Amino acid sequence: METFQAPKEKSFFAQVQESMGAKLFLIAVLTLLLLIPSTWIQYLIEERQGRQEEAIKEISAKWSGPQLIESPVLQLPYKTWIKATDAAGKPMMKESLSTIYLLPETLDIQSQVNPEILHRGIFDAVVYHAKIRLNGKFSALEWTKSGINPDLILWDKAKVVAGISDFKGLKNSPVIKIEGQSYAAEPDFASENLFANNLAVPIDLQASKNTAIQFNVELDLRGSEALNFLHLGKNSVIKVNGNWNNPSFTGAFLPEARNITEKQFSSTWKMSNFNRSFPQQWLSGQQTLSPQNKEKATFGVKFLLPVDQYQKTMRSAKYAILIILLSFISLFFIELLNKVRVNLLQYVLIGAAMIIYYTLLLSFTEQVGFGIAYFIASAATVILVSTFIGAFLRNKKAAIAFAIILSIFYSFIYVIIQLQDLALLFGSVGLFITVACLMYFSVKINWNKPEEAISQP
């Protein structure tokens, strides 16, 4: 007598495996969960980038920091009277000293910069040697406009003050020539903080009582990262040449002319006093050269490393969720088209491999550069994941197809990272084509009974 045996009920996990809707939902949840380690990867990249910045600061502290060149300013002590009271409390006029500041009428700066790369462990920093020559002529005093009485000026106590942001970079004692006569410049800490670091020479103008004097300054100094200038001349011409192929022109003004080749660059600025926010002469106490005004009149050249490895790695990591999502969708379609079931654990392992990809990329980038590191990490991940898929699907064609798909995804992201202005356009077109391919393959599947044969076109 035959006995009837009721079919065993499928477990919840098995039902989920066979339900396309439930599986798609779980794949979506898994993709969102992988956002967490993806974010950790980005934090790791930021931490390594911070380490690089610390290394650069340490090198700069020992070598010399970014230099800001502030051209000479003529200072004239000026007697004034202020209201005061005597011991008996009666009002009186008390003599005091003020200072007249005069800026150059003409200013010509010629700079030759020779950058080089210093290494600290796996980190690099750009430093440079620079020879800078400043020539110019101070303005004549404007008596009528300013209301200054020339008889109250202490002509014998005049002073010429220039500024350099980091004295550590000076290779020798700078010399300032006034009307052809050389003066040894000394640090000056009593110039009303005109500049952060003042180089000053005292001069005697008692005989001529004329401020329209010529000056010449030659500087041989070291610096790092950037060379900047403060726009102080009424009519200025600044030229910077260097053996560097990746300069970035920063600050308030761009050069009027520039030429960048594979080994060197040249740049020229031409400016007038209409481009700055302070007058040609002023009296002390007016805060004319305030930090805000200086910032609006500062410009120069920043020496970028040939490739910013961490920036490219960070941009690549930001596409991690897109790569994972597209890969999971592609694997899901391969699963349906080949009428096989892929376990959720296998999705998890593939997602883990695609997250570890970015740690490989970061670590190899620090050693061999971004381009080679991207190839190594991408090739290793494609081989690992496709071999894994071929093993559990027992289908070489499916493994090869997924390897090709994943290679296209990584190549697509690499091209986007290399592009600047066309990155958005190229990315949008690429995603559009990807969605179109997914739509095409989706119509090949019998979504009502995916376990049956694929519907014919």
Side-chain angles (χ1 to χ4, degrees):
M1 180 177 179
E2 295 183 0
T3 58
F4 176 76
Q5 197 170 18
K8 294 181 180 180
E9 291 188 5
K10 295 182 179 180
S11 65
F12 172 77
F13 188 76
Q15 293 178 18
V16 169
Q17 283 287 98
E18 294 182 1
S19 172
M20 286 190 302
K23 193 162 188 179
L24 280 173
F25 174 76
L26 290 177
I27 290 174
V29 171
L30 175 60
T31 304
L32 293 176
L33 288 176
L34 288 174
L35 277 173
I36 299 174
S38 175
T39 304
W40 292 344
I41 294 295
Q42 294 183 33
Y43 287 150
L44 177 62
I45 296 172
E46 291 177 351
E47 188 269 336
R48 299 298 293 178
Q49 190 171 18
R51 289 278 302 276
Q52 183 192 42
E53 292 173 356
E54 290 176 5
I56 291 174
K57 289 180 180 179
E58 187 174 348
I59 293 173
S60 299
K62 295 179 179 180
W63 178 271
S64 181
Q67 293 287 9
L68 172 62
I69 308 301
E70 296 149 317
S71 64
V73 175
L74 180 60
Q75 295 182 192
L76 296 172
Y78 180 68
K79 290 192 292 186
T80 59
W81 279 265
I82 58 175
K83 292 182 179 180
T85 56
D86 58 15
K90 294 182 179 179
M92 58 173 292
M93 298 300 292
K94 181 181 178 181
E95 184 178 305
S96 178
L97 282 179
S98 183
T99 305
I100 306 169
Y101 297 97
L102 285 90
L103 298 181
E105 180 79 18
T106 60
L107 180 63
D108 181 83
I109 301 177
Q110 304 284 335
S111 303
Q112 178 63 42
V113 189
N114 298 312
E116 60 183 79
I117 297 177
L118 292 184
H119 307 280
R120 184 171 184 83
I122 61 173
F123 302 111
D124 299 331
V126 181
V127 300
Y128 60 82
H129 301 268
K131 292 185 179 295
I132 303 172
R133 183 181 179 90
L134 300 90
N135 298 296
K137 182 178 181 181
F138 289 113
S139 299
L141 272 174
E142 299 177 354
W143 311 107
T144 56
K145 182 185 295 186
S146 60
I148 294 173
N149 184 350
D151 295 331
L152 300 179
I153 297 176
L154 303 179
W155 295 98
D156 59 332
K157 291 181 171 54
K159 187 186 296 184
V160 174
V161 180
I164 298 176
S165 58
D166 193 348
F167 282 165
K168 188 182 297 181
L170 288 171
K171 295 183 181 180
N172 47 42
S173 299
V175 174
I176 300 178
K177 291 183 179 180
I178 306 295
E179 291 291 324
Q181 184 175 352
S182 298
Y183 297 85
E186 297 290 340
D188 183 17
F189 305 101
S191 298
E192 295 187 0
N193 297 320
L194 189 63
F195 305 122
N197 293 301
N198 299 287
L199 286 172
V201 295
I203 57 174
D204 188 352
L205 299 178
Q206 185 65 43
S208 63
K209 295 184 179 181
N210 178 26
T211 60
I213 55 177
Q214 294 183 344
F215 63 85
N216 172 271
V217 184
E218 292 188 5
L219 298 173
D220 190 0
L221 75 164
R222 302 183 303 183
S224 61
E225 294 190 74
L227 176 62
N228 296 310
F229 302 89
L230 181 61
H231 174 30
L232 292 177
K234 186 174 183 179
N235 295 287
S236 303
V237 177
I238 296 92
K239 295 182 179 181
V240 181
N241 302 319
N243 57 348
W244 194 254
N245 63 355
N246 197 26
S248 174
F249 301 106
T250 61
F253 313 103
L254 292 176
E256 183 176 281
R258 72 185 78 177
N259 182 34
I260 302 173
T261 65
E262 293 183 359
K263 295 184 178 180
Q264 59 188 7
F265 76 95
S266 62
S267 53
T268 303
W269 287 262
K270 293 182 180 180
M271 296 171 295
S272 69
N273 59 328
F274 293 98
N275 303 116
R276 67 188 192 201
S277 56
F278 35 85
Q280 196 63 18
Q281 70 178 46
W282 70 92
L283 295 174
S284 58
Q286 296 181 6
Q287 298 296 319
T288 301
L289 289 183
S290 64
Q292 294 78 12
N293 286 342
K294 285 184 179 180
E295 184 178 357
K296 295 176 182 178
T298 299
F299 62 96
V301 183
K302 186 174 182 179
F303 304 102
L304 301 175
L305 288 169
V307 178
D308 191 340
Q309 314 284 11
Y310 292 105
Q311 184 179 5
K312 288 191 174 183
T313 305
M314 176 63 78
R315 288 183 63 190
S316 178
K318 289 180 178 179
Y319 290 105
I321 194 64
L322 177 63
I323 292 289
I324 293 172
L325 178 60
L326 292 177
S327 299
F328 281 175
I329 293 175
S330 300
L331 181 58
F332 182 72
F333 276 107
I334 290 176
E335 178 182 347
L336 295 179
L337 289 170
N338 288 274
K339 295 177 287 183
V340 294
R341 296 299 181 187
V342 179
N343 194 287
L344 283 175
L345 176 61
Q346 292 163 337
Y347 276 96
V348 172
L349 292 175
I350 292 172
M354 301 180 80
I355 289 295
I356 295 173
Y357 161 84
Y358 294 99
T359 62
L360 282 176
L361 177 61
L362 175 61
S363 57
F364 277 103
T365 294
E366 292 182 337
Q367 302 297 330
V368 298
F370 179 79
I372 299 176
Y374 195 94
F375 175 78
I376 294 173
S378 300
T381 304
V382 169
I383 293 172
L384 174 64
V385 174
S386 59
T387 303
F388 179 60
I389 290 174
F392 69 73
L393 290 183
R394 302 183 185 280
N395 189 325
K396 291 184 179 180
K397 291 184 178 180
I400 294 173
F402 191 82
I404 294 173
I405 292 171
L406 195 55
S407 300
I408 292 173
F409 288 160
Y410 283 134
S411 300
F412 172 64
I413 297 300
Y414 182 81
V415 172
I416 290 179
I417 292 173
Q418 302 305 313
L419 296 174
Q420 295 293 333
D421 297 334
L422 298 177
L424 179 60
L425 175 61
F426 190 88
S428 301
V429 172
L431 289 176
F432 181 84
I433 294 173
T434 302
V435 172
C437 292
L438 293 175
M439 293 172 67
Y440 171 78
F441 287 111
S442 68
V443 301
K444 299 289 186 179
I445 300 171
N446 186 350
W447 293 93
N448 295 319
K449 295 182 179 181
E451 69 280 359
E452 297 179 358
I454 302 169
S455 60
Q456 299 300 318

